[in-house]
Amino acid sequence: MDASLDDVLPEASLREAVDLLVRLVEAAGALIIFAGAVWAFGRLLVAAVRGLPDRRFNRIRLGLGRFLALGLEFQLAGDVLRTAVAPSFTEIGQLAAIAAIRTALNFFLGREIAAERAEIERERRKEEVEPHGPTTP
Amino acid sequence: MDTVLHLAALTVTALGLTAALVAFAAAGRLRTAMAVLLDFLTAAGLLRLAGDPNWDTIAAAAAVIAIRKLVAAGLYAGRPGRSARTPS
């Protein structure tokens, strides 16, 4: 039974296929995070040169946070794929540690994004109520 | 792939330092600059975690992220016009 199954789908081939998939998915996640950092850097430079208000920086940070969350989702998908083949205990331990870090960070990032979004929304509403800003004597 | 990721992480760290300086110069607020820097450093930490990390890399990334969360929580709590309670 084992021999025939190994003929159809050798374990080594399965490992190689999963490893390739993991690398592709992780590379996609890393690319998203890097692209997000470059995007945020460009936007920050433009905002600083144009002398845009402070809250613009928070919007850019919100954008970067979204990129990070998306990249993390890809990397977590890679972690899940890694569990498809039975690794050694050392690899399981490392996988658990990395997955725990990424999951915790994803959770906190989600909360931060929600908080930033609420802050921006609050500022927007405040501007709608006071379109000309606070009155000066 | 590890070399590329390491280079990418270094680049993001450098971008973060520059962005923080630019944000401080433009906004004139250390809190804004620090928040920007911490976001970029988190991105760099995540890049370092990709690939085939060893225990040292994992421990270092976990420590950096934990410190980053602590400082960010402090910044958040100290923001004017906002209570220390984080929204759910």
Side-chain angles (χ1 to χ4, degrees):
Chain A
M1 173 78 182
D2 280 349
S4 60
L5 193 66
D6 211 45
D7 287 341
V8 178
L9 186 62
E11 198 181 327
S13 305
L14 184 67
R15 274 179 193 276
E16 276 174 25
V18 170
D19 195 49
L20 180 70
L21 277 176
V22 168
R23 279 174 191 276
L24 281 174
V25 172
E26 285 228 337
L31 196 67
I32 289 168
I33 291 170
F34 185 75
V38 172
W39 171 85
F41 182 71
R43 291 283 308 269
L44 271 165
L45 280 189
V46 171
V49 168
R50 287 187 183 166
L52 294 172
D54 193 28
R55 66 176 181 279
R56 181 63 72 134
F57 291 105
N58 283 339
R59 277 179 197 231
I60 296 166
R61 285 186 51 231
L62 182 63
L64 176 58
R66 282 185 184 136
F67 271 102
L68 293 188
L70 182 63
L72 269 170
E73 302 277 357
F74 271 85
Q75 292 186 329
L76 278 169
D79 291 342
V80 173
L81 269 174
R82 264 187 226 265
T83 60
V85 287
S88 67
F89 267 113
T90 310
E91 284 172 332
I92 292 172
Q94 289 183 344
L95 185 63
I98 294 170
I101 293 170
R102 286 173 177 163
T103 307
L105 193 60
N106 208 13
F107 172 74
F108 286 118
L109 256 174
R111 279 175 54 146
E112 265 181 37
I113 288 172
E116 284 295 343
R117 194 181 288 148
E119 178 87 7
I120 288 168
E121 186 65 23
R122 206 164 29 240
E123 280 173 1
R124 195 180 62 81
R125 279 187 195 155
K126 211 166 130 185
E127 276 173 12
E128 278 176 6
V129 173
E130 301 169 23
H132 303 296
T135 52
T136 49
Chain B
M1 187 166 155
D2 283 354
T3 316
V4 176
L5 285 170
H6 187 67
L7 267 174
L10 272 178
T11 311
V12 171
T13 305
L15 289 182
L17 285 168
T18 316
L21 283 173
V22 168
F24 182 65
R29 290 175 66 187
L30 190 62
R31 183 176 293 165
T32 306
M34 187 68 91
V36 168
L37 178 65
L38 288 171
D39 281 348
F40 277 88
L41 289 187
T42 304
L46 286 177
L47 286 173
R48 284 201 183 93
L49 263 188
D52 293 320
N54 53 32
W55 281 117
D56 286 347
T57 320
I58 295 169
V64 167
I65 288 169
I67 292 167
R68 189 246 167 204
K69 292 313 302 175
L70 235 141
V71 176
L75 285 178
Y76 187 87
R79 216 182 261 189
R82 183 195 283 253
S83 67
R85 182 178 60 86
T86 52
S88 54

